[in-house]
Amino acid sequence: MTTLRAAVAAAWLGASLPAAAGIPVSHFVLDNGLELVVIEDHRAPVVTHMVWYRVGAADEPPGKSGIAHFLEHLMFKGTDEIPEGAFSRIIAANGGEDNAFTSRDQTAYFQRIAADRLEMVMRMEADRMRDLVLTEAVVAPERDVILEERNTRVENDPAALFDEQRQAAQFLNHPYGIPIIGWRHEIAALSRADALDFYRRYYAPNNAIVIVVGDVDPARVRRLAERHYGPLAPSADLPPRQRPQEPPQTAPRRLVFADARVRQPYVLRSYLAPERNPGQQRRAAALVLLARLLGGSDLTSVLGRALQVDSRIALGAGAFYDASSLDPSTFSIWVVPAPGVSLAEAEAAMDRAIAGFIANGPDPAHLERVRTQVRAAEIFALDNQMSLARRYGMALTSGLTLADVEEWPRLLQEVGAEEIVAAAREVLDLRRSVTGWLTSESEGEAAQ
């Protein structure tokens, strides 16, 4: 792998990055609506198999928050063919590894295993796509597991509780304001019937994308998919993905989350931001570059240079933007103040740095470095099967097309300084922002 990386990195300096760096990508649609994407990688006899469902936490029925994540757990329980709890044991016994995740717009299941075991994992995934067996004996204990997971990851973590409150304040109407794991009182009320209703509606071939990356032949992968996924009946009542959208946001929102357990206070501001859209990705590409320019490095980014190096107001600062989103996303900026610096002082310094960037634009040399870093990251991602599978799966389940995925690396190199500044002026608008302080003190004490 190291030799390949060095060769590719050297070549990148003298040639433009092709759509998928020359990696063969095949796309098929079965008669029952299942999409199949095959990405060839013949460097090792290994394959990554992923099933992506076009359903996530933002698609849950009102009052049933957490059901998408709950069902993800239940999918490992068993079918008529696979004994309860045996799915992962079978994968491990064959030298592989598997897992799953739920996000706002998708739920995905994956296995990484020897290429000659591909048919086995396809057969197993196809089996649980339509033949999951759920009894009260497995549902009730797993609900307790989810509640304990919420205790561990959210209730016992002030930063996670702060993030929940900030997200709820950011989205006035859209379900992105509801936590992926769900609100505790709604998780506790989830039932076997809720899980089965959600499963029968959304877990169907016409709502799924299978992505196979590795040492495979596309024609054989298609035959295997037709053999195992092809006989599955599509869902007849699959609803369109029409979520409640945000009204115009015209007033800045602020919150202070005080918790005695906080050891390091910080300021985090998020702005409502546009997502990548099919055939219209330039603005999202500009926001990716903007995030790196503002906060991609402690030493050279706008925030790092101004707040950590020059004034020493902050211990850390950064920016991030989530472009992989079906509906409008967020652009966020954070600052961790240095000892003796108040949150109010840190926020004021952050605002000055942002205003200076919008007024003056990016330094040309800094922008070129950022382009190089982005380009290198795109190339190195090709060295990892999971990264490739996630690149395509995340995009396709967020409403993008294969052409959009192929065009994305080029856009990241084409977008100019003027477009980046224009995106900053549009998105970094306080009227569409939430500014949050995480602190161990009261609001008045934190402001001093």
Side-chain angles (χ1 to χ4, degrees):
M1 296 293 187
T2 303
T3 302
L4 176 72
R5 282 192 175 202
V8 173
W12 127 64
L13 292 172
S16 61
L17 180 66
I23 294 177
V25 179
S26 303
H27 178 250
F28 312 100
V29 180
L30 304 190
D31 291 343
N32 59 6
L34 182 132
E35 281 192 66
L36 178 66
V37 177
V38 183
I39 306 168
E40 296 178 61
D41 177 4
H42 299 290
R43 293 170 293 166
V46 178
V47 66
T48 297
H49 174 273
M50 294 193 76
V51 180
W52 294 74
Y53 292 97
R54 294 184 186 89
V55 64
D59 300 294
E60 295 167 336
K64 303 294 181 182
S65 67
I67 189 64
H69 176 245
F70 187 25
L71 180 58
E72 176 216 311
H73 278 235
L74 294 172
M75 284 288 285
F76 290 87
K77 293 307 178 184
T79 68
D80 288 333
E81 302 295 326
I82 302 173
E84 180 187 332
F87 193 99
S88 294
R89 291 200 301 269
I90 293 171
I91 299 297
N94 282 270
E97 57 183 5
D98 74 317
N99 213 325
F101 61 85
T102 303
S103 62
R104 302 182 306 181
D105 297 314
Q106 51 276 125
T107 310
Y109 302 81
F110 62 89
Q111 300 84 32
R112 180 172 168 82
I113 202 164
D116 62 3
R117 302 293 198 275
L118 174 61
E119 183 168 16
M120 180 193 75
V121 298
M122 268 199 176
R123 182 174 61 248
M124 293 171 67
E125 279 288 13
D127 183 36
R128 68 174 174 176
M129 182 178 285
R130 278 313 219 180
D131 194 33
L132 184 65
V133 173
L134 295 180
T135 64
E136 286 292 351
V138 301
V139 169
E142 198 62 37
R143 184 174 54 235
D144 292 338
V145 169
I146 301 294
L147 287 169
E148 184 54 36
E149 181 181 344
R150 181 175 168 91
N151 283 340
T152 302
R153 296 187 177 183
V154 181
E155 310 293 352
N156 292 327
D157 183 354
L161 291 169
F162 167 65
D163 190 60
E164 276 193 348
Q165 295 299 308
R166 185 181 54 80
Q167 285 290 108
Q170 180 73 74
F171 293 97
L172 305 177
N173 194 49
H174 195 283
Y176 284 168
I178 300 172
I180 293 172
I181 197 170
W183 299 116
R184 181 180 181 83
H185 66 287
E186 292 186 349
I187 298 171
L190 294 176
S191 67
R192 173 177 175 270
D194 294 329
L196 285 173
D197 287 346
F198 198 79
Y199 170 73
R200 288 167 179 161
R201 173 167 293 187
Y202 291 107
Y203 279 54
N206 54 325
N207 200 40
I209 302 169
V210 173
I211 298 184
V212 178
V213 186
D215 188 21
V216 294
D217 171 60
R220 179 175 180 270
V221 175
R222 182 175 186 174
R223 289 195 299 271
L224 292 177
E226 289 174 338
R227 180 182 307 163
H228 297 291
Y229 290 108
L232 302 179
S235 177
D237 61 346
L238 190 64
R241 301 187 84 179
Q242 295 176 347
R243 289 100 166 249
Q245 296 298 301
E246 284 297 292
Q249 296 192 4
T250 57
R253 278 140 284 150
R254 301 187 63 88
L255 65 92
V256 174
F257 191 91
D259 191 308
R261 296 171 294 179
V262 173
R263 292 293 174 264
Q264 181 59 70
Y266 60 83
V267 179
L268 195 157
R269 179 184 296 149
S270 58
Y271 303 83
L272 202 64
E275 74 284 8
R276 288 168 65 186
N277 285 311
Q280 301 177 19
Q281 301 183 96
R282 294 189 72 91
R283 187 168 52 173
L287 290 173
V288 168
L289 296 176
L290 175 64
R292 283 185 171 263
L293 287 165
L294 289 180
S297 165
D298 287 344
L299 296 177
T300 61
S301 71
V302 171
L303 292 171
R305 191 78 187 170
L307 276 61
Q308 294 175 253
V309 177
D310 294 343
S311 66
R312 308 215 171 185
I313 282 176
L315 297 176
F320 54 95
Y321 164 63
D322 182 7
S324 300
S325 177
L326 182 62
D327 292 324
S329 183
T330 54
F331 187 102
S332 301
I333 300 171
W334 56 271
V335 177
V336 178
V341 177
S342 70
L343 291 172
E345 291 170 326
E347 182 183 339
M350 178 182 79
D351 284 335
R352 287 193 297 272
I354 295 170
F357 176 85
I358 291 176
N360 301 318
D363 173 75
H366 185 200
L367 177 56
E368 191 55 37
R369 284 196 302 272
V370 165
R371 289 194 197 284
T372 300
Q373 293 163 2
V374 168
R375 198 171 187 181
E378 289 286 321
I379 291 173
F380 292 149
L382 304 178
D383 203 21
N384 185 288
Q385 289 186 2
M386 182 60 70
S387 294
L388 279 170
R390 288 181 68 99
R391 173 184 294 186
Y392 281 85
M394 194 70 71
L396 295 177
T397 52
S398 299
L400 299 171
T401 67
L402 288 173
D404 294 320
V405 177
E406 293 169 355
E407 184 185 36
W408 183 243
R410 179 177 61 80
L411 291 178
L412 290 171
Q413 297 303 310
E414 281 187 4
V415 169
E418 298 82 4
E419 291 176 274
I420 295 170
V421 173
R425 285 200 179 100
E426 175 192 0
V427 171
L428 304 185
D429 183 342
L430 284 175
R431 293 171 299 179
R432 296 195 295 271
S433 74
V434 176
T435 304
W437 290 2
L438 178 66
T439 177
S440 61
E441 304 168 325
S442 67
E443 181 173 3
E445 292 171 329
Q448 292 177 0

